[in-house]
Amino acid sequence: MTDRTKRLDVLSFYSIIRNAYSFKAPEEAHQVLEANFLRYGGKDRLILYIDGGAAVEKEETAKKRKANRDKAAEKCYKNLDALEQRVTNNQKARKRHFVDVKKSLASLFYWPSSVRQDFIDYLIKAGWTVRICETEADVAIAADCRPEDIVISADSDMLAYGTIYTLWRPISRGLHLAYSRADVCQTLGLSSAQLTALACVVSNDYGRNIFSLGPVTSLSVIMNSKGEDPRSIVSEYLENERVQSKNTCDKTFELALRVFADQLQTPSTCQISDSVYSSFNALRQRFMDLCKRYQQNRSLQMTFNSSNSMDIIRLRSSSTSNRYKTVESPAIQHSRLTRARITMPPPVEQPQDSSISHGNQTGEALHPALQRTRTPRHQPRYSFKSRKGTQEHPRPPMMKQLAYKPYKEPETKRKKETSAPKDPPTLKTLSKSTAATDKLAITRHLAYHHPTSSLSIGTLKANIRLALPNQLDLQQEVMEVIQGATSEAARVKREAQRLIGCYVEKLDKIGIDHISSVDKEILRHLCQPVSMEDVKDTDDIAADEKTTIRSMVLWTLNLIPTMENLK
């Protein structure tokens, strides 16, 4: 045995084992599996490790696999019933019917201990070095592996063991991927102990990861740990604030640490019985019987169709395209024509017509015409449409005839004359307005802009900044002064409006006839006298004065609601 020993995990090649032992005899399956092992080296350089019984640390995974097998068995029964129904009714089975059964059978497969022992005896007789492990072969390989040894396994968790330095992982087409522990640690930026700790905290056969903490998040946490062994690194990982907020189930990853870090496993008393393999054999045998019955039905149907079929020889190629048309060799076409001529009746000799020219006799001798089973009938062409040539139709009646009219030039369109712009409507004066429109007109006359509404604060700030640059304190003082003056003007105006409103209300309560001369003078200062057109006796000075005062009081009374709104 050379220094670089190769240690192979047999059960990691589960897909090859399943395909070999599912549809082949045990002796033939042993040879197929042995030929696959020979691709990785000779018998003197290769040590084969075979799993023993189940381990206590893997009981949860075993329960999940058993549930998956039960589900696959139920699905296999359903698919077999569908296939049997089509075979019994002599219906055509589709490809999916066979594929569904094969997939469910593959999920149901289990390599029993009896067949496994026969394979071990076969390997020992052939001269292989075989080691039967107590539990999982991974732990035994990690315990026996040396730094220069090569481990061959399809399991991705083999690099979680700190004693395995080189891993060959088989892939399709007889190739394998070579992993170096040093290169993996260098790429991830981890130490060997951190890599083992990372394998413990992520999902594996011995437990699930903490919810919402995947491999990338766990890697970022473990990279900053300062522990020297996997247990201390996992403890530091669990003490992280982010991990503690997510670890609601209080996971400790003790099972994974026991296997990957301590390389220990406890044999389990619950072992998988061989009844699983017996049920698999029963379903497989049923499937093979159905396949034989289907082939027999197909062969009978093809024989019946061939006996009732007639050879068809086309006189010329079909004008329609056929996307599934196959190209036949000249030998096949010649045999078909020969078989057709044998089954045809002898041709009827027809008398030679002397009127036919014999100038092309050489071409007819080289390329004779095909013999036909029946003489084609040539029918004259018949058309339902009568053709009488050019016809002269009578002239239409006078009412339908068109009279010639001379051409007239179209009239030029006149441009629309633009009218002068109308003057905007003037507001009704107080003297002409009715009592209903008095209030609206007075409100329009009193329309004003509030000082603070007309003052743009943004423009004020911008102008102050331009006028007083780099003087923040002075800018703020100037703005406060201007805004304070504006607010004070608005307050004084509101107070004056309230004063006028209270004065007018007082005059209204006194009455128009009892207003003094002083009050009349004050009203004339507040509002100019307004004449009323409905007053007929214009010569009476007293009546005119009384009418004027009444109009002023009415104007002020209409002003009061506006004052209330301003409050």
Side-chain angles (χ1 to χ4, degrees):
M1 186 179 297
T2 60
D3 293 336
R4 286 186 70 85
T5 304
K6 297 177 182 178
R7 306 179 186 275
L8 188 142
D9 184 7
V10 175
L11 264 293
S12 65
F13 295 83
Y14 194 77
S15 59
I16 299 175
I17 296 172
R18 180 183 59 199
N19 296 334
Y21 287 90
S22 294
F23 300 101
K24 294 182 181 180
E27 294 78 8
E28 189 178 356
H30 296 342
Q31 297 175 3
V32 172
L33 199 55
E34 182 185 11
N36 185 73
F37 297 157
L38 287 172
R39 294 190 294 107
Y40 299 99
K43 300 177 182 179
D44 56 339
R45 296 185 179 183
L46 203 60
I47 300 177
L48 305 180
Y49 288 79
I50 299 180
D51 292 2
V56 176
E57 291 79 6
K58 216 170 181 179
E59 285 184 353
E60 293 296 329
T61 304
K63 291 179 181 179
K64 292 180 181 179
R65 291 176 180 176
K66 184 179 181 302
N68 293 336
R69 287 193 187 96
D70 296 340
K71 186 177 180 180
E74 182 179 357
K75 189 175 181 180
C76 186
Y77 278 112
K78 182 178 179 181
N79 295 332
L80 282 173
D81 293 340
L83 180 60
E84 186 176 7
Q85 183 179 3
R86 298 189 74 87
V87 172
T88 304
N89 297 336
N90 200 12
Q91 296 177 343
K92 186 176 181 180
R94 303 296 178 183
K95 181 180 179 180
R96 63 178 182 84
H97 294 97
F98 299 96
V99 172
D100 292 344
V101 176
K102 288 183 179 180
K103 284 185 177 180
S104 55
L105 279 175
S107 302
L108 185 60
F109 176 80
Y110 173 71
W111 202 25
S113 58
S114 58
V115 181
R116 195 179 307 182
Q117 187 62 41
D118 294 341
F119 178 64
I120 294 172
D121 297 338
Y122 172 82
L123 291 177
I124 294 174
K125 290 181 181 179
W128 288 90
T129 303
V130 182
R131 180 176 175 185
I132 303 174
C133 306
E134 186 178 6
T135 54
E136 296 284 334
D138 303 353
V139 178
I141 293 174
D144 298 343
C145 188
R146 296 174 298 178
E148 66 274 6
D149 291 347
I150 298 174
V151 177
I152 303 172
S153 176
D155 295 339
S156 58
D157 57 354
M158 290 298 294
L159 283 177
Y161 298 95
T163 56
I164 296 177
Y165 293 89
T166 305
L167 174 65
W168 287 4
R169 204 176 165 202
I171 56 176
S172 60
R173 298 181 181 178
L175 304 176
H176 66 271
L177 300 176
Y179 294 91
S180 175
R181 187 178 185 84
D183 295 341
V184 173
C185 292
Q186 183 180 1
T187 303
L188 297 178
L190 301 176
S191 63
S192 180
Q194 289 176 343
L195 181 61
T196 304
L198 178 63
C200 295
V201 299
V202 298
S203 297
N204 48 60
D205 291 341
Y206 308 100
R208 301 288 298 175
N209 63 311
I210 298 175
F211 180 74
S212 75
L213 295 179
V216 178
T217 307
S218 300
L219 174 64
S220 62
V221 176
I222 289 178
M223 286 177 64
N224 301 323
S225 62
K226 300 179 181 179
E228 297 180 355
D229 60 286
R231 285 191 175 274
S232 61
I233 295 172
V234 171
S235 300
E236 190 175 350
Y237 171 81
L238 294 173
E239 293 175 359
N240 186 276
E241 296 180 358
R242 186 175 183 181
V243 177
Q244 287 181 352
S245 62
K246 301 292 184 179
N247 190 13
T248 57
C249 300
D250 297 332
K251 291 187 177 182
T252 59
F253 306 105
E254 182 60 33
L255 295 179
L257 286 170
R258 177 178 172 80
V259 176
F260 293 133
D262 302 338
Q263 299 179 7
L264 296 175
Q265 278 186 339
T266 306
S268 176
T269 56
C270 300
Q271 303 294 335
I272 301 176
S273 61
D274 292 347
S275 59
V276 178
Y277 185 70
S278 60
S279 61
F280 168 78
N281 277 336
L283 293 174
R284 181 188 61 179
Q285 189 62 37
R286 181 184 173 188
F287 175 63
M288 295 176 68
D289 295 341
L290 288 175
C291 291
K292 290 180 181 179
R293 287 177 53 188
Y294 182 74
Q295 290 295 336
Q296 292 175 1
N297 294 344
R298 292 287 295 170
S299 60
L300 292 175
Q301 185 68 24
M302 292 176 64
T303 305
F304 177 77
N305 293 339
S306 62
S307 62
N308 294 337
S309 63
M310 297 179 63
D311 293 332
I312 300 175
I313 301 177
R314 294 185 180 274
L315 301 180
R316 53 184 174 272
S317 61
S318 177
S319 59
T320 59
S321 61
N322 184 8
R323 59 183 297 187
Y324 304 105
K325 181 170 57 179
T326 58
V327 179
E328 297 179 348
S329 62
I332 297 177
Q333 295 179 357
H334 179 71
S335 62
R336 181 180 296 178
L337 292 175
T338 305
R339 187 171 64 255
R341 288 170 182 171
I342 293 173
T343 56
M344 289 180 185
V348 179
E349 295 183 0
Q350 297 182 1
Q352 296 288 339
D353 191 357
S354 59
S355 62
I356 299 177
S357 175
H358 298 280
N360 196 18
Q361 292 181 356
T362 305
E364 293 178 356
L366 293 176
H367 304 284
L370 295 176
Q371 297 183 6
R372 298 187 174 91
T373 56
R374 60 183 181 180
T375 305
R377 294 179 296 178
H378 300 281
Q379 297 181 356
R381 178 179 177 183
Y382 179 77
S383 177
F384 294 94
K385 185 187 293 185
S386 59
R387 296 176 174 82
K388 299 181 180 179
T390 305
Q391 296 182 2
E392 295 183 0
H393 300 280
R395 297 178 63 183
M398 186 61 64
M399 61 180 299
K400 290 186 178 181
Q401 293 184 10
L402 300 177
Y404 175 76
K405 296 180 179 179
Y407 176 75
K408 293 182 179 180
E409 293 291 338
E411 297 180 358
T412 57
K413 294 183 179 180
R414 296 180 180 178
K415 295 183 179 180
K416 294 183 179 180
E417 297 179 358
T418 57
S419 57
K422 297 181 179 179
D423 297 333
T426 57
L427 295 175
K428 295 182 179 179
T429 59
L430 185 62
S431 60
K432 297 182 180 179
S433 62
T434 59
T437 59
D438 287 343
K439 183 177 179 180
L440 179 60
I442 294 171
T443 305
R444 289 175 179 173
H445 286 301
L446 291 177
Y448 74 101
H449 289 286
H450 197 274
T452 57
S453 64
S454 60
L455 182 61
S456 178
I457 303 300
T459 305
L460 176 63
K461 289 182 179 180
N463 293 333
I464 292 176
R465 288 195 190 99
L466 293 175
L468 304 172
N470 301 327
Q471 300 181 22
L472 299 178
D473 297 338
L474 185 59
Q475 290 177 6
Q476 188 66 25
E477 292 179 2
V478 172
M479 289 176 59
E480 291 178 356
V481 169
I482 295 176
Q483 292 176 353
T486 305
S487 301
E488 185 65 21
R491 187 189 66 78
V492 171
K493 186 174 183 178
R494 285 196 298 271
E495 293 295 334
Q497 290 172 347
R498 292 193 184 97
L499 177 62
I500 295 172
C502 293
Y503 175 70
V504 172
E505 289 178 356
K506 182 179 179 182
L507 294 180
D508 184 39
K509 292 179 180 179
I510 294 173
I512 298 175
D513 298 334
H514 301 84
I515 294 177
S516 63
S517 59
V518 178
D519 295 331
K520 293 178 183 179
E521 188 66 23
I522 294 173
L523 289 176
R524 286 190 180 92
H525 285 292
L526 291 177
C527 179
Q528 295 297 326
V530 180
S531 60
M532 301 295 293
E533 292 182 356
D534 52 353
V535 178
K536 297 180 180 180
D537 192 3
T538 56
D539 297 333
D540 192 352
I541 300 175
D544 190 8
E545 183 179 2
K546 186 175 181 179
T547 302
T548 304
I549 295 173
R550 183 183 292 108
S551 300
M552 294 174 64
V553 173
L554 289 175
W555 182 84
T556 53
L557 290 177
N558 289 329
L559 181 66
I560 291 174
T562 306
M563 299 299 176
E564 294 296 331
N565 293 334
L566 292 174
K567 292 180 183 180

Coordinates of all heavy atoms in Angstrom, one line a residue, residues 35-61:
A35 N -17.1 -2.2 -11.1 CA -16.5 -1.5 -12.2 C -16.4 0.0 -11.9 O -15.5 0.7 -12.3 CB -17.2 -1.8 -13.5
N36 N -17.4 0.5 -11.2 CA -17.4 1.9 -10.9 C -16.3 2.3 -9.9 O -15.7 3.3 -9.9 CB -18.8 2.3 -10.3 CG -18.9 3.8 -10.0 OD1 -19.0 4.6 -10.9 ND2 -18.9 4.2 -8.8
F37 N -16.0 1.3 -8.9 CA -14.9 1.6 -8.0 C -13.5 1.5 -8.6 O -12.6 2.2 -8.2 CB -15.0 0.6 -6.8 CG -16.3 0.6 -6.0 CD1 -16.7 -0.4 -5.3 CD2 -17.0 1.8 -6.0 CE1 -17.9 -0.3 -4.5 CE2 -18.2 1.9 -5.2 CZ -18.6 0.8 -4.5
L38 N -13.4 0.7 -9.6 CA -12.1 0.5 -10.3 C -11.7 1.8 -11.0 O -10.5 1.9 -11.4 CB -12.1 -0.6 -11.3 CG -12.2 -2.0 -10.6 CD1 -12.4 -3.1 -11.7 CD2 -10.9 -2.3 -9.9
R39 N -12.6 2.7 -11.3 CA -12.2 4.0 -11.9 C -11.3 4.9 -11.0 O -10.6 5.8 -11.5 CB -13.4 4.8 -12.3 CG -14.2 4.1 -13.4 CD -15.3 5.0 -14.0 NE -16.4 5.3 -13.0 CZ -16.5 6.5 -12.5 NH1 -15.7 7.5 -12.8 NH2 -17.5 6.8 -11.6
Y40 N -11.3 4.6 -9.7 CA -10.6 5.5 -8.8 C -9.3 4.8 -8.3 O -8.6 5.4 -7.5 CB -11.4 5.8 -7.6 CG -12.7 6.5 -7.9 CD1 -13.9 5.9 -8.1 CD2 -12.7 7.9 -8.2 CE1 -15.1 6.5 -8.4 CE2 -13.8 8.6 -8.6 CZ -15.0 7.9 -8.7 OH -16.2 8.6 -9.0
G41 N -8.9 3.7 -8.8 CA -7.7 3.1 -8.5 C -7.8 1.6 -8.3 O -8.9 1.0 -8.4
G42 N -6.6 0.9 -8.1 CA -6.6 -0.5 -8.0 C -7.0 -1.0 -6.6 O -7.2 -0.2 -5.7
K43 N -7.0 -2.3 -6.5 CA -7.4 -2.9 -5.2 C -6.4 -2.7 -4.1 O -6.8 -2.7 -2.9 CB -7.7 -4.4 -5.4 CG -8.8 -4.7 -6.4 CD -8.9 -6.2 -6.6 CE -10.0 -6.5 -7.7 NZ -10.1 -8.0 -7.9
D44 N -5.2 -2.5 -4.5 CA -4.1 -2.3 -3.5 C -4.1 -0.9 -2.9 O -3.4 -0.6 -1.9 CB -2.8 -2.7 -4.0 CG -2.5 -1.9 -5.3 OD1 -3.4 -1.4 -5.9 OD2 -1.3 -1.8 -5.7
R45 N -4.7 0.1 -3.6 CA -4.7 1.5 -3.2 C -6.0 2.0 -2.6 O -6.1 3.1 -2.2 CB -4.3 2.4 -4.3 CG -2.8 2.1 -4.9 CD -2.5 3.1 -5.9 NE -1.2 3.0 -6.4 CZ -0.6 3.8 -7.3 NH1 -1.3 4.8 -7.8 NH2 0.6 3.5 -7.7
L46 N -7.0 1.2 -2.7 CA -8.4 1.6 -2.3 C -8.9 0.8 -1.2 O -8.8 -0.4 -1.2 CB -9.3 1.5 -3.6 CG -10.5 2.3 -3.6 CD1 -10.2 3.8 -3.6 CD2 -11.3 2.0 -4.9
I47 N -9.4 1.5 -0.2 CA -10.1 0.9 1.0 C -11.6 1.3 0.9 O -11.9 2.5 0.9 CB -9.5 1.4 2.3 CG1 -8.0 1.0 2.3 CG2 -10.2 0.7 3.5 CD1 -7.3 1.5 3.6
L48 N -12.4 0.3 1.0 CA -13.9 0.5 0.9 C -14.5 0.5 2.3 O -14.3 -0.5 3.0 CB -14.5 -0.6 0.0 CG -13.9 -0.8 -1.4 CD1 -14.7 -1.9 -2.2 CD2 -14.0 0.5 -2.2
Y49 N -15.3 1.5 2.6 CA -15.9 1.6 3.9 C -17.4 1.5 3.6 O -18.0 2.2 2.8 CB -15.7 3.0 4.5 CG -14.2 3.1 5.0 CD1 -13.2 3.4 4.2 CD2 -14.0 3.0 6.4 CE1 -11.9 3.5 4.7 CE2 -12.7 3.1 6.9 CZ -11.6 3.4 6.0 OH -10.4 3.5 6.5
I50 N -18.1 0.6 4.4 CA -19.5 0.3 4.2 C -20.2 0.6 5.5 O -19.7 0.2 6.6 CB -19.8 -1.2 3.8 CG1 -19.1 -1.4 2.4 CG2 -21.3 -1.4 3.7 CD1 -19.3 -2.8 1.9
D51 N -21.3 1.3 5.5 CA -22.0 1.7 6.7 C -22.6 0.5 7.4 O -22.9 -0.6 6.8 CB -23.2 2.6 6.4 CG -22.7 4.0 5.9 OD1 -21.5 4.1 5.8 OD2 -23.6 4.8 5.6
G52 N -22.7 0.6 8.7 CA -23.3 -0.5 9.6 C -24.7 -0.1 9.9 O -25.5 0.2 9.1
G53 N -25.0 -0.2 11.2 CA -26.4 0.2 11.7 C -26.6 1.7 11.8 O -25.7 2.5 11.6
A54 N -27.8 2.0 12.1 CA -28.2 3.4 12.2 C -27.6 4.0 13.5 O -27.3 3.3 14.5 CB -29.7 3.6 12.2
A55 N -27.5 5.3 13.6 CA -26.9 6.0 14.7 C -28.0 6.8 15.4 O -29.0 7.2 14.8 CB -25.8 7.0 14.3
V56 N -27.9 7.0 16.7 CA -28.8 7.7 17.5 C -28.9 9.2 17.0 O -29.9 9.8 17.0 CB -28.5 7.7 19.0 CG1 -29.4 8.5 19.8 CG2 -28.6 6.2 19.5
E57 N -27.7 9.8 16.7 CA -27.7 11.2 16.3 C -28.4 11.4 15.0 O -28.7 12.6 14.7 CB -26.2 11.6 16.1 CG -25.4 11.7 17.4 CD -25.0 10.3 17.9 OE1 -25.2 9.3 17.2 OE2 -24.4 10.2 19.0
K58 N -28.7 10.4 14.2 CA -29.4 10.5 12.9 C -30.8 10.0 12.9 O -31.4 9.7 11.8 CB -28.6 9.8 11.9 CG -28.5 10.5 10.5 CD -27.5 9.9 9.6 CE -27.4 10.6 8.3 NZ -26.4 10.0 7.4
E59 N -31.4 9.9 14.1 CA -32.8 9.4 14.1 C -33.8 10.3 13.5 O -34.7 9.8 12.8 CB -33.2 9.1 15.6 CG -32.5 7.9 16.2 CD -32.9 7.6 17.6 OE1 -33.7 8.5 18.2 OE2 -32.6 6.5 18.2
E60 N -33.7 11.6 13.7 CA -34.6 12.5 13.0 C -34.5 12.4 11.5 O -35.6 12.4 10.8 CB -34.3 14.0 13.5 CG -34.6 14.2 15.0 CD -36.1 14.0 15.3 OE1 -36.9 14.3 14.4 OE2 -36.4 13.6 16.4
T61 N -33.3 12.3 11.0 CA -33.2 12.2 9.5 C -33.8 10.9 9.1 O -34.4 10.8 8.0 CB -31.7 12.3 9.2 OG1 -31.2 13.5 9.7 CG2 -31.5 12.3 7.7

